[in-house]
Amino acid sequence: MTTSATTTTTTTVTLADLTRMLRESAGEEEGVDLDGDVIDTPFMDLGYDSLALLQVIGQIQREYGIEIPDDAVVDAETPRAMLALINADQTTA
């Protein structure tokens, strides 16, 4: 029986991780509770534009070493979609 010698360390980025990075990178808009049920809330409704999301993507790349194309951020309109993009990218690395 042969086993692979390759070891892949995979860290799943969670909603808590993402909301922490949103706060650190772009702050939190007054009246928005990122600790609430925001998984399917559009980023625009949470007060984050594409520039804020690019800052978060940069932070994710630095902290987790995950490469995410900047143009992919445009399609991730909610935290759920962003997490799917981030975590799916890890499985193909």
Side-chain angles (χ1 to χ4, degrees):
M1 179 178 280
T2 306
T3 58
S4 174
T6 304
T7 302
T8 304
T9 302
T10 305
T11 302
T12 300
V13 179
T14 65
L15 180 59
D17 297 326
L18 181 60
T19 55
R20 173 185 55 83
M21 288 182 271
L22 284 166
R23 284 183 180 111
E24 291 172 359
S25 294
E28 185 172 358
E29 190 165 300
E30 191 171 324
V32 173
D33 180 14
L34 289 179
D35 294 323
D37 185 18
V38 297
I39 192 83
D40 292 314
T41 304
F43 284 114
M44 293 301 289
D45 292 351
L46 295 173
Y48 298 103
D49 60 11
S50 59
L51 180 59
L53 297 179
L54 288 174
Q55 290 175 331
V56 170
I57 292 300
Q59 187 172 353
I60 290 167
Q61 291 174 341
R62 288 187 301 278
E63 285 188 27
Y64 295 93
I66 301 168
E67 291 299 320
I68 303 166
D70 291 345
D71 59 348
V73 174
V74 177
D75 296 328
E77 296 180 356
T78 65
R80 182 185 307 274
M82 179 71 75
L83 289 170
L85 174 70
I86 294 164
N87 292 319
D89 186 62
Q90 291 187 72
T91 60
T92 60

